[in-house]
DNA sequence: ATAGATGATTGATC
DNA sequence: GATCAATCATCTAT
C-alpha cells in the first residue's frame, strides 16, 4: 500500500464530491437556473446596461461565470489567481452567490451527510485489538515481548526456546516499525491533504456558498477515506503477524533431528544408566546444557529440558520394545564409556605417578605390560580385546540387563561402562587395573557382576533409588548424577 | 518414492 | 507431574 494510492483514493472521494457539486452547478447554469428566477420568484439584480427583460443576456453572463469557475482548475496558478480575482469582482457574482445559496438550501445539500455519523467499525476494532494484543500497536517494548511470550505459551511448549523466541520478536519488531512508519506517513498525508482541501474550500467559499459545517464534513470525508486506507494497512499488518506467528509455531512443531553430538551425549547417558535411565531434573538440565553446547556449534538450535525428557521417554520405550535392535548401539556406547574410563585411568596413573614420586608402588603398577595405558595404541588394543569376543553380537542375557558399572578414578563418580557378561573377564581385568589405580579396590566389591539393574519381569525398570545406589556407590540416593557435568 | 528413524504430541495411568 | 504407550509428522538414507 503506498501513499500514492492513498492520495488517489482521497482525490477520488474529493473528486466525486466535487463532481456532485459540479453537476448541480451545471444544472444550475443550464435549465434550472434559467427557470429559477421565475420559479423561485427571486429578483436577480438587473444586469448592467440591460433591461430586466433580457433573459438571454443574463443567462449568457452567468454561463460565462460558471464556465470560468469550472475551468479554473485547468489553468496555471497565476492565471487562476487572476481569474479568481476577476470572478470575485464580477458584477454578477453576488447574484450568482445568492442563487447558489438558495438552491443549496432548497436541495438540502447542506444537511446531507449530517446523519453520516460513522458508527465504530467492528472490524476496525477487531484489528485494533489484535494489533494491540500482538504488540504491534500500543506501548513500545513490553507489548512485543508479552506477545512473544503469549505466542510461546500458546504453543504449549516451555518458554525456554530462546532462539525462535528472539527471532519471533525481531520479526515482530520489524513489522511494528513498518506499521508505524506507514501509519505516520498516512497521518501526515491526511493532514496535508485536509489542510489543502480546507484552504481550497475556504477560498471557494468566497465564490460559492460553503459553510464551515460543510468544510467540516469534507474533512470528515477525507478522514474516513484515509482511515479506510489505514484499515487496509492494519489488516495487512495483522495478516503479516498471523503469518509470522503461524510460521513461528510451525517451526516449533516441526521436528528437527538432534545433532550427532547431542544424540551421542544422550545415548552415553542412557547406556551408562541403563539400569535406571531416568535422569533427575538436574541431570536433564545438565544434559540439555551439554547438548546445547555441542548442538549450537552445529545446527544452531538449543535442546531444552523437555526435549531431553522426550528423548529419554522415546528411548526407554523404543529400547524396551526392541532390545535386540539396540544391542549393537549398547555395545558401542559401552565401548565408548570404557574408552573414557581408560582415559581417566591413564590420567589418574600419570597423576598418581607425578604426585607420589616417593611411593611408586603404592598405587597403580604400570609395569604390567598387559595394561600399558599410556599410549593410544595400547588403549585401543585393550578395548578391541575387550570386545572381540562378542564380535558385534553383544548378548544381553534375558532382558539384556547384565551390566557392569565401572568406577572412574579421578574422584568423579564416573558411571562406567556397562558391558555384557561375555566380556566379563576382560572388563574384570580392566576394572582391576582401574580400581588399583585409584585405590578403589573395595569400591565395587570383589566381583564385578551384579544384576539386574535394568528391566524387570514386568518390562519396567527397577526402582530408581535401588539401582542408582548400586551403580554409583559414591553417590548418595537421590543425588545428582555428576557424570553429566564437567 | 519409500521405509525406517526419530522428535513431538496426546491421552491414560500412577 | 512424570511416565508410558500409541500415534503423528517429519527427516533421512536408500
Amino acid at each position: 500500500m503506498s501513499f500514492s494510492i492513498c492520495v488517489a483514493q482521497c482525490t477520488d472521494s474529493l473528486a466525486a464530491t466535487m463532481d456532485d457539486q459540479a453537476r448541480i452547478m451545471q444544472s444550475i447554469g443550464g435549465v434550472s437556473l434559467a427557470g429559477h428566477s421565475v420559479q423561485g420568484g427571486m429578483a436577480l439584480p438587473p444586469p448592467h446596461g440591460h433591461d430586466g427583460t433580457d433573459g438571454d443576456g443574463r443567462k449568457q453572463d452567468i454561463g460565462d461565470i460558471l464556465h470560468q469557475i469550472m475551468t479554473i482548475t485547468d489553468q496555471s496558478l497565476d492565471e487562476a489567481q487572476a481569474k479568481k480575482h476577476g470572478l470575485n469582482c464580477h458584477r454578477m457574482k453576488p447574484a450568482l452567490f445568492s442563487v447558489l445559496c438558495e438552491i443549496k438550501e432548497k436541495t438540502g445539500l447542506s444537511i446531507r451527510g449530517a446523519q453520516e455519523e460513522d458508527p465504530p467499525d467492528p472490524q476496525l476494532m477487531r484489528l485494533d485489538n489484535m494489533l494491540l494484543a500482538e504488540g504491534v500497536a500500543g506501548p513500545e517494548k513490553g507489548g512485543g515481548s508479552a506477545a512473544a511470550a503469549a505466542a510461546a505459551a500458546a504453543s504449549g511448549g516451555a518458554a525456554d526456546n530462546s532462539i525462535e523466541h528472539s527471532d519471533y520478536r525481531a520479526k515482530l519488531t520489524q513489522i511494528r516499525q513498518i506499521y508505524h512508519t506507514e501509519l505516520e506517513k498516512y497521518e501526515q498525508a491526511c493532514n496535508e491533504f485536509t489542510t489543502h482541501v480546507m484552504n481550497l474550500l475556504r477560498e471557494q467559499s468566497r465564490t460559492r456558498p460553503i459553510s464551515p459545517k460543510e468544510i467540516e464534513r469534507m474533512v470528515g470525508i477525507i478522514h474516513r477515506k484515509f482511515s479506510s486506507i489505514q484499515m487496509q494497512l492494519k489488516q495487512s499488518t495483522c495478516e503479516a503477524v498471523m503469518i509470522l506467528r503461524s510460521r513461528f509455531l510451525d517451526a516449533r512443531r516441526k521436528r528437527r533431528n538432534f545433532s550427532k553430538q547431542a544424540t551421542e551425549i544422550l545415548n552415553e547417558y542412557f547406556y551408562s544408566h541403563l539400569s535406571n535411565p531416568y535422569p533427575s531434573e538436574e541431570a536433564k538440565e545438565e544434559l540439555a546444557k551439554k547438548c546445547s553446547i555441542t548442538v549450537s556449534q552445529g545446527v544452531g538450535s538449543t535442546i531444552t529440558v523437555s526435549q531431553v525428557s522426550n528423548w529419554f521417554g522415546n528411548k526407554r520405550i523404543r529400547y524396551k520394545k526392541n532390545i535386540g535392535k539396540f544391542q549393537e548401539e549398547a555395545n558401542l556406547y559401552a565401548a565408548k564409556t570404557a574408552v573414557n574410563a581408560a582415559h581417566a585411568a591413564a590420567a589418574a596413573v600419570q597423576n598418581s605417578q607425578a604426585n607420589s614420586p616417593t611411593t611408586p608402588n603404592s598405587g597403580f603398577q604400570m609395569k604390567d605390560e598387559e595394561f600399558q595405558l599410556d599410549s593410544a595404541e595400547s588403549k585401543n588394543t585393550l578395548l578391541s580385546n575387550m570386545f572381540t569376543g562378542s564380535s558385534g553380537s553383544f548378548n544381553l542375557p534375558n532382558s539384556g540387563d547384565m551390566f557392569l558399572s565401572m568406577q572412574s578414578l579421578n574422584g568423579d563418580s564416573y558411571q562406567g561402562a556397562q558391558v555384557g557378561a561375555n566380556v566379563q573377564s576382560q572388563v574384570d581385568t580392566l576394572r582391576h587395573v582401574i580400581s588399583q589405580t585409584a585405590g578403589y579396590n573395595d569400591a565395587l566389591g570383589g566381583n564385578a557382576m551384579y544384576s539386574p539393574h535394568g528391566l524387570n519381569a514386568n518390562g519396567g525398570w527397577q526402582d530408581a533409588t535401588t539401582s542408582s545406589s548400586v551403580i554409583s556407590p559414591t553417590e548418595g540416593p537421590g543425588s545428582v548424577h555428576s557424570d553429566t557435568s564437567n
Side-chain angles (χ1 to χ4, degrees):
Chain A
M1 209 189 304
S2 69
F3 175 62
S4 55
I5 297 170
C6 149
V7 173
Q9 286 187 336
C10 280
T11 319
D12 281 351
S13 152
L14 189 66
T17 319
M18 303 262 275
D19 273 353
D20 281 350
Q21 291 172 356
R23 272 197 299 277
I24 291 159
M25 287 174 101
Q26 269 170 343
S27 73
I28 290 167
V31 184
S32 12
L33 187 64
H36 185 79
S37 57
V38 182
Q39 275 187 351
M42 181 182 164
L44 277 173
H48 187 68
H50 292 273
D51 62 24
T53 59
D54 191 0
D56 280 350
R58 284 204 305 262
K59 267 194 277 182
Q60 187 69 41
D61 274 344
I62 290 171
D64 281 351
I65 295 176
L66 286 169
H67 185 254
Q68 284 178 42
I69 292 171
M70 297 311 294
T71 55
I72 207 162
T73 50
D74 300 332
Q75 296 153 356
S76 72
L77 208 62
D78 288 343
E79 270 180 341
Q81 287 294 341
K83 273 272 165 61
K84 249 172 19 186
H85 184 73
L87 275 169
N88 281 334
C89 302
H90 198 280
R91 61 192 170 87
M92 289 299 290
K93 191 228 161 185
L96 177 65
F97 195 88
S98 58
V99 168
L100 290 172
C101 276
E102 189 167 325
I103 291 170
K104 198 165 183 179
E105 211 173 292
K106 285 246 152 91
T107 51
L109 266 178
S110 56
I111 49 162
R112 198 191 76 175
Q115 299 94 327
E116 280 179 20
E117 277 300 311
D118 48 337
D121 188 350
Q123 201 191 345
L124 185 64
M125 279 172 69
R126 268 204 306 276
L127 290 173
D128 280 337
N129 286 340
M130 188 189 160
L131 289 174
L132 213 63
E134 290 296 336
V136 176
E140 179 63 53
K141 255 296 181 212
S145 56
S155 73
D160 48 0
N161 207 335
S162 55
I163 298 251
E164 281 99 338
H165 206 105
S166 59
D167 225 35
Y168 176 81
R169 231 147 69 181
K171 292 248 161 63
L172 198 69
T173 311
Q174 217 176 326
I175 291 174
R176 189 190 159 91
Q177 271 170 359
I178 292 168
Y179 170 75
H180 282 290
T181 315
E182 287 294 308
L183 206 63
E184 219 169 280
K185 262 200 254 172
Y186 288 141
E187 263 162 23
Q188 202 184 335
C190 181
N191 287 339
E192 275 174 19
F193 196 78
T194 307
T195 314
H196 178 73
V197 169
M198 275 170 78
N199 288 339
L200 204 69
L201 288 175
R202 280 203 198 103
E203 184 75 32
Q204 286 190 7
S205 68
R206 282 165 35 186
T207 318
R208 61 191 183 97
I210 304 169
S211 65
K213 206 152 194 174
E214 281 173 297
I215 297 178
E216 218 173 276
R217 189 177 140 255
M218 184 62 82
V219 168
I221 289 168
I222 294 166
H223 280 180
R224 267 199 297 279
K225 239 354 183 197
F226 268 92
S227 70
S228 83
I229 294 158
Q230 274 187 5
M231 194 161 92
Q232 284 176 37
L233 171 69
K234 283 175 181 174
Q235 203 155 15
S236 43
T237 306
C238 276
E239 274 168 25
V241 171
M242 293 305 281
I243 288 166
L244 172 69
R245 216 172 138 159
S246 70
R247 264 194 209 151
F248 173 68
L249 296 181
D250 281 351
R252 288 171 66 87
R253 271 184 93 86
K254 230 176 189 175
R255 194 179 70 72
R256 283 184 90 177
N257 285 355
F258 296 161
S259 73
K260 227 175 169 180
Q261 299 103 301
T263 314
E264 266 179 30
I265 287 165
L266 294 169
N267 269 319
E268 268 177 38
Y269 187 97
F270 181 81
Y271 287 109
S272 65
H273 294 74
L274 199 49
S275 59
N276 181 39
Y278 296 88
S280 65
E281 200 58 29
E282 290 89 343
K284 281 180 196 167
E285 278 169 25
E286 282 285 345
L287 285 169
K289 216 192 287 176
K290 235 175 154 182
C291 291
S292 297
I293 292 162
T294 53
V295 172
S296 62
Q297 284 167 351
V299 181
S301 65
T302 60
I303 291 186
T304 66
V305 172
S306 61
Q307 282 180 300
V308 172
S309 297
N310 283 341
W311 190 91
F312 272 90
N314 284 324
K315 190 74 183 181
R316 281 192 297 265
I317 294 278
R318 284 162 187 166
Y319 178 84
K320 209 164 87 174
K321 265 187 178 171
N322 195 352
I323 292 165
K325 198 180 81 183
F326 287 95
Q327 279 185 3
E328 209 171 319
E329 192 177 73
N331 289 347
L332 196 79
Y333 283 99
K336 231 175 191 167
T337 40
V339 170
N340 290 342
H343 273 284
V349 166
Q350 281 172 353
N351 279 344
S352 74
Q353 281 182 331
N355 294 338
S356 316
T358 52
T359 55
N361 294 328
S362 63
F364 178 60
Q365 302 291 322
M366 282 298 283
K367 290 172 197 159
D368 192 337
E369 285 175 15
E370 198 183 341
F371 296 110
Q372 291 287 339
L373 294 175
D374 56 352
S375 77
E377 196 189 345
S378 314
K379 282 173 233 164
N380 289 338
T381 313
L382 168 72
L383 285 159
S384 65
N385 283 343
M386 279 173 66
F387 296 104
T388 40
S390 62
S391 65
S393 58
F394 187 68
N395 282 322
L396 301 173
N398 301 323
S399 53
D401 54 359
M402 193 72 94
F403 297 109
L404 169 74
S405 177
M406 289 187 295
Q407 197 71 15
S408 80
L409 334 162
N410 52 6
D412 289 338
S413 59
Y414 187 86
Q415 302 225 311
Q418 290 169 332
V419 293
N422 54 347
V423 289
Q424 186 193 345
S425 58
Q426 290 97 325
V427 172
D428 266 350
T429 320
L430 180 65
R431 200 184 116 268
H432 172 72
V433 174
I434 291 165
S435 58
Q436 266 198 334
T437 311
Y440 281 158
N441 268 330
D442 298 327
L444 291 173
N447 195 338
M449 298 302 296
Y450 56 89
S451 72
H453 308 309
L455 295 164
N456 60 26
N458 299 328
W461 269 274
Q462 282 195 334
D463 178 53
T465 52
T466 323
S467 50
S468 75
S469 64
V470 174
I471 275 241
S472 311
T474 54
E475 287 182 326
S479 70
V480 182
H481 296 299
S482 55
D483 57 342
T484 57
S485 67
N486 295 323

